[in-house]
Amino acid sequence: MRTTSLLGLGGALLVGACLLVSCVGTESELEHQGLDGPGNLALIPIPQSIEVREGTFRWSPGQGVAVHDQVLLDWELDKRLLEVIDPNGLHKVDVKGPHGPDSGVHMLIDSTLWELGREGYKLDIRGDSLAISSAWPTGVFYGIQTLRQLLPQLAGQAGASAGYSNWSVPACEIIDAPRFGWRGQLLDVSRHFLPLEFVKKNIDYLAALKLNVFHWHLTDDQGWRVPVQAYPKLTSVGAWRVDKNDLPWHGRPEQAAGEVADYGGSYSREEINEVIEYARLRGVTVVPEIDVPGHCRAAIAAYPELSCDGVARGVATGGIMEENALCPGREATFEFVEEVLVSVMGLFPSEYIHIGGDECNKSAWKSCVDCQGRMAEESLEDVDQLQSYFIRRVEGIINAHGRKMIGWDEILEGGLAPNAVVMSWRGEAGGIEAAKAGHDVIMTPSEYCYLDLKQGLPETEPELGYSELLLSTAYSYEPLPAELTSEQSKHILGIQGNLWGESIRGETEANYMLFPRLFAVAEVAWSQPDRKDWRGFIDRLDPILPRLKAQGIGYAPSLYQVALHIKVDAANAQISLAMDTEHGDVEMRYTTDGTEPTSTSTRYEAPLQLAKSTLFQAAAFRDGLPLGRITEKMLDLHKAMGKSMDSPSVFSPKYNGGGGANPLIDGNTGSATHSDKRWVGFEASSMEATLDLGALTVIKEVAIGCLEEQNSWIFYPQSMEVLGSRDGVHFRRLGVVQGDPTAASSGAHRKELTLATPGEQTRYLRVRAESIGTCPDWHKGNGGKAWIFLDEIIVR
């Protein structure tokens, strides 16, 4: 574990004027904020040490600022402080230089604080003075950020026009330093081009939360955003694609003849320099990513000769995994890569250069004459070793210019380059392997750090992202794996959150996916583990979220979303319904009459017992105001719920419908997301189940809920067949319904295959959902194996 900064600051330090301040102010505000005990200030990330004292420090007109060291003036930290405490210049603040007379506010370099590192600081607030000190200007900068969070609501916000004559902050002593030196966030601007203004806003977010690395994903299949003078078509051609944003990301048709590629954009060298300087002045280092040898369709569209077959193709319009790799068999490819990297290193002064190295489809290499020749020449046994050869050569280019190479954990395949830093995203295994081998590692496992994943119940979230990453899950992450020794753990440089851009078309979508999870990433990266506490984090986050809203930052309210938990009580022919929220401390109110819940609707106190099918709606409230969205679910008390079921079919352990004994008759229907833990998945196999209803029952309808998500190799069943029996021995066919699985579609869809039955008495039902087994000829991937996903067998 490294507690000193990886990233030195030079020159002045700035920070945006209106970002993410907390909610502490005058004494009259303290009780309302819940700050009623020692160390309970609403600060994120939580500092190493907080001692709350009696009283407050009150700012008064005409009060000055004493800067005790010339280096702080050189870095213009006096101006940065005034931007926080007096952003509109309402008072003529007298700034005293080194060794100037005492004043109410002090900034100073204190060499006795070196044990806190360059980013550590001390904030000492008393009734008559306020002092920010550190062994290095970077730490003073972070002390200013903590002061920003302590200020009352009006202070530190652009456009504020009142309240500065007597703002106050609670008296306290804060001693603080970061746990990790690498505290980052990735922003993907390739999938959708994002304007310079938002890139700067994103950097402001990082600075306010003491994150210090901006990982800029600049190239991918869908767009090349950085200029290279020797290859001008990278931006004149590679930055533009045909606009098919009205279609789901996966499954979009490729660019056709005659279609105009007019969606995209790129940054000029001047704009990139502007971003780098903007970030530097905010304590943030910009690390560029040029993704090779895979994810290169945009480059290949500009220069087809970079691929194995040399075929001209358009920039990818959406998600692809084929025909997007550079050809490592040709020397011209390495000339291209070197020219690009030298150009990029000429722009970006960062110590680290990220080269991607992930998800490279190497199938074309197996039949490429040049690649096979390279493998023979270099005595390489397979295409994994060929990729390793490619990565090693790329690292040599980067090292020759005094830089260090970072790659995603796929660079481990075929052998790791000598000095490479591994960014572990496919879980922690790659990072653990690299750390044990003596390589530095940045932890960013997708299940904890991918900020493009949905934040709550799929059926209540907007059409952004996929799968699920709850705020509580992001907050629970521990970056140091237990498998590592203390010496090996020193190779874990830190963590970062990643905002991939498949569904991020602009600032609105980006803000929604970043917040509030970026707060969790910041606290995991900065704060010591013994300082972390989920309940405390939520209590500190609560007063911050309204400020985000006031600043126009549309955050996700998913932590307030009501989740429903169903338990079947077959003996009493009813279900037990429990409710909760991720937040854990809000009012939940509900209706069962088809109306939307309000602040006066019935309040949830304990699990409910429902004996008939019900349209159930619920929402969270505080102080009479709604917090999240309305959760709505039709609770269908059908005749098979909780009954006996026998099935010889084997479903996937990963997709097991939540892990219950009989997940296909538990009343939990799925959403249009295969990873919502309500689906039962069968790979390349059919499903057969026999139900015992317990007694002869008149059956009028049998249905089965099924999912189609062809990009994930999930197809509707080919058919559903239903047989009935009175004795469990002699079955006769009640009917069959077709599923039409082979019609091409995009996106995810849930539907019910429904069979109307003769309406006779039956005790036993045998239901068979027939899989197509293999994907259609037009569909690629998963070795040709097709899945069926089922959620509930419904008997009416």
Side-chain angles (χ1 to χ4, degrees):
M1 176 176 60
R2 298 186 178 177
T3 57
T4 56
S5 172
L6 296 170
L7 311 159
L9 292 177
L13 293 167
L14 304 171
V15 71
C18 62
L19 290 174
L20 313 180
V21 288
S22 187
C23 279
V24 181
T26 63
E27 291 102 330
S28 62
E29 293 178 290
L30 295 182
E31 182 177 355
H32 176 71
Q33 303 303 336
L35 307 178
D36 54 357
N40 200 24
L41 301 178
L43 299 172
I44 297 177
I46 190 167
Q48 212 175 78
S49 169
I50 304 174
E51 177 192 345
V52 178
R53 298 164 170 160
E54 293 292 329
T56 61
F57 169 79
R58 187 173 299 277
W59 173 264
S60 58
Q63 204 163 22
V65 173
V67 181
H68 292 258
D69 297 272
Q70 182 63 44
V71 66
L72 300 178
L73 293 172
D74 294 342
W75 286 32
E76 299 185 349
L77 285 175
D78 55 319
K79 296 179 181 178
R80 307 295 75 83
L81 177 65
L82 294 183
E83 288 172 354
V84 170
I85 65 176
D86 189 22
N88 292 326
L90 299 181
H91 306 294
K92 293 182 179 179
V93 180
D94 185 19
V95 177
K96 301 297 183 181
H99 313 298
D102 288 343
S103 174
V105 180
H106 305 259
M107 291 195 302
L108 62 151
I109 294 294
D110 184 350
S111 60
T112 67
L113 297 177
W114 265 118
E115 63 182 17
L116 298 177
R118 292 191 173 208
E119 295 179 306
Y121 65 92
K122 179 179 178 180
L123 181 58
D124 189 355
I125 305 176
R126 302 173 184 270
D128 59 352
S129 64
L130 187 158
I132 305 171
S133 57
S134 173
W136 193 254
T138 316
V140 174
F141 171 74
Y142 285 135
I144 293 173
Q145 304 318 305
T146 298
L147 175 61
R148 175 190 296 280
Q149 291 194 20
L150 290 173
L151 291 173
Q153 186 164 355
L154 288 176
Q157 296 189 39
S161 59
Y164 289 100
S165 61
N166 62 354
W167 65 254
S168 62
V169 290
C172 61
E173 180 185 75
I174 295 173
I175 298 175
D176 200 10
R179 182 185 185 193
F180 293 105
W182 185 292
R183 309 180 302 279
Q185 182 228 310
L186 174 147
L187 181 67
D188 174 7
V189 297
S190 175
R191 273 48 182 265
H192 290 91
F193 180 71
L194 298 176
L196 198 69
E197 292 73 19
F198 178 71
V199 173
K200 290 180 177 180
K201 283 186 180 181
N202 197 165
I203 291 168
D204 284 333
Y205 301 159
L206 303 186
L209 291 174
K210 303 185 179 75
L211 296 167
N212 62 358
V213 179
F214 178 63
H215 177 169
W216 206 0
H217 186 77
L218 289 163
T219 74
D220 215 296
D221 297 315
Q222 297 80 17
W224 186 285
R225 311 301 182 200
V226 57
V228 179
Q229 187 173 1
Y231 294 94
K233 288 196 291 184
L234 286 173
T235 48
S236 65
V237 174
W240 304 92
R241 67 173 185 260
V242 176
D243 186 355
K244 297 187 183 292
N245 284 335
D246 57 327
L247 299 174
W249 179 256
H250 293 287
R252 292 179 181 178
E254 295 278 8
Q255 179 176 346
E259 288 187 311
V260 178
D262 58 0
Y263 178 83
S266 62
Y267 307 102
S268 68
R269 294 180 67 88
E270 291 74 20
E271 288 174 325
I272 290 173
N273 282 327
E274 185 179 339
V275 168
I276 293 169
E277 180 66 4
Y278 190 88
R280 184 183 69 84
L281 296 176
R282 287 154 179 79
V284 176
T285 292
V286 181
V287 174
E289 180 181 350
I290 307 299
D291 207 344
V292 292
H295 287 283
C296 283
R297 173 64 75 82
I300 291 170
Y303 298 96
E305 63 272 19
L306 295 172
S307 66
C308 287
D309 62 13
V311 174
R313 300 178 175 90
V315 175
T317 60
I320 64 167
M321 290 298 292
E322 296 84 28
E323 299 160 341
N324 64 344
L326 301 180
C327 176
R330 297 180 191 153
E331 199 60 28
T333 298
F334 293 98
E335 295 171 2
F336 166 80
V337 172
E338 181 167 12
E339 184 66 39
V340 167
L341 290 177
V342 169
S343 176
V344 167
M345 287 185 284
L347 269 173
F348 293 87
S350 56
E351 178 183 5
Y352 296 93
I353 303 293
H354 203 302
I355 56 87
D358 62 313
E359 297 180 328
C360 181
N361 187 326
K362 302 181 275 285
S363 57
W365 298 358
K366 297 176 181 178
S367 58
C368 172
V369 173
D370 294 314
C371 289
Q372 293 301 308
R374 176 78 71 183
M375 290 171 64
E377 179 183 337
E378 300 292 338
S379 300
L380 305 175
E381 296 181 0
D382 53 33
V383 290
D384 285 343
Q385 289 191 7
L386 181 57
Q387 177 168 348
S388 178
Y389 168 84
F390 180 95
I391 298 297
R392 288 169 185 269
R393 286 195 60 174
V394 171
E395 184 186 49
I397 297 169
I398 293 172
N399 291 167
H401 288 78
R403 311 294 184 89
K404 296 178 181 179
M405 184 190 79
I406 304 176
W408 300 106
D409 56 51
E410 284 94 333
I411 66 173
L412 288 159
E413 297 168 4
L416 189 57
N419 304 306
V421 178
V422 172
M423 193 165 272
S424 189
W425 74 277
R426 296 178 301 175
E428 294 183 321
I432 292 170
E433 178 184 344
K436 287 182 175 180
H439 288 262
D440 286 345
V441 173
I442 298 144
M443 285 298 196
T444 181
S446 60
E447 61 266 37
Y448 294 102
C449 299
Y450 268 34
L451 305 181
D452 57 317
L453 274 58
K454 290 182 181 295
Q455 302 186 62
L457 302 174
E459 57 265 40
T460 62
E461 287 294 304
E463 293 296 319
L464 296 173
Y466 63 102
S467 191
E468 180 183 87
L469 173 58
L470 301 180
L471 175 66
S472 56
T473 304
Y475 187 77
S476 71
Y477 183 49
E478 169 47 53
L480 295 184
E483 296 93 323
L484 298 181
T485 66
S486 59
E487 193 64 27
Q488 292 165 344
S489 293
K490 294 177 181 179
H491 288 291
I492 306 299
L493 302 182
I495 77 159
Q496 72 176 36
N498 298 324
L499 183 61
W500 296 104
E502 286 87 345
S503 61
I504 308 300
R505 299 184 186 179
E507 179 177 345
T508 299
E509 295 89 347
N511 284 342
Y512 184 92
M513 299 303 267
L514 284 172
F515 296 110
R517 290 181 297 193
L518 196 60
F519 289 100
V521 172
E523 186 142 309
V524 171
W526 179 279
S527 303
Q528 295 297 327
D530 62 351
R531 296 289 291 153
K532 287 178 57 190
D533 171 69
W534 168 248
R535 187 70 255 160
F537 174 74
I538 286 298
D539 290 343
R540 287 178 282 119
L541 181 64
D542 266 337
I544 293 176
L545 294 181
R547 292 197 171 197
L548 293 185
K549 184 177 181 180
Q551 295 163 17
I553 298 175
Y555 63 88
S558 312
L559 76 161
Y560 302 117
Q561 195 69 43
V562 175
L564 307 181
H565 306 281
I566 299 170
K567 185 176 181 181
V568 178
D569 180 0
N572 295 305
Q574 64 183 15
I575 61 172
S576 175
L577 177 66
M579 297 192 294
D580 62 20
T581 64
E582 187 182 17
H583 183 284
D585 188 22
V586 293
E587 291 181 10
M588 294 178 285
R589 298 184 179 270
Y590 66 90
T591 62
T592 59
D593 61 0
T595 62
E596 293 186 352
T598 68
S599 60
T600 60
S601 299
T602 305
R603 181 170 178 170
Y604 174 78
E605 302 288 354
L608 309 172
Q609 309 305 315
L610 302 176
K612 64 179 182 178
S613 295
T614 303
L615 177 61
F616 196 88
Q617 297 185 79
F621 293 84
R622 179 186 289 136
D623 299 329
L625 299 176
L627 294 172
R629 301 181 180 88
I630 294 174
T631 297
E632 178 180 312
K633 191 175 185 67
M634 182 65 202
L635 302 174
D636 189 350
L637 273 71
H638 59 84
K639 296 181 180 296
M641 283 180 60
K643 301 297 185 180
S644 174
M645 186 183 86
D646 179 61
S647 175
S649 304
V650 178
F651 53 76
S652 165
K654 183 176 181 180
Y655 303 108
N656 61 7
N662 290 315
L664 289 175
I665 51 172
D666 64 358
N668 283 298
T669 54
S671 66
T673 301
H674 75 267
S675 57
D676 72 0
K677 300 178 184 178
R678 300 176 208 161
W679 290 102
V680 182
F682 301 84
E683 185 180 27
S685 65
S686 300
M687 187 285 302
E688 181 179 298
T690 301
L691 310 180
D692 180 358
L693 303 180
L696 289 175
T697 306
V698 175
I699 303 302
K700 296 181 179 180
E701 187 176 270
V702 178
I704 191 164
C706 49
L707 180 70
E708 177 183 64
E709 192 176 348
Q710 293 182 359
N711 183 67
S712 299
W713 316 292
I714 302 169
F715 294 82
Y716 288 138
Q718 184 167 283
S719 63
M720 179 187 71
E721 182 185 35
V722 180
L723 296 88
S725 171
R726 297 171 69 90
D727 60 7
V729 177
H730 304 92
F731 285 83
R732 72 182 189 87
R733 191 184 202 194
L734 300 182
V736 64
V737 61
Q738 301 301 316
D740 191 24
T742 58
S745 73
S746 58
H749 318 277
R750 181 192 182 272
K751 75 173 182 179
E752 292 181 3
L753 296 183
T754 304
L755 175 71
T757 59
E760 59 190 49
Q761 287 193 328
T762 303
R763 174 172 174 174
Y764 300 93
L765 289 172
R766 183 164 293 160
V767 181
R768 180 177 177 83
E770 189 75 26
S771 171
I772 60 173
T774 58
C775 297
D777 292 340
W778 47 264
H779 193 282
K780 300 177 181 178
N782 199 39
K785 297 179 181 179
W787 288 79
I788 57 171
F789 269 55
L790 312 173
D791 61 357
E792 189 81 358
I793 300 173
I794 304 162
V795 180
R796 303 183 177 100

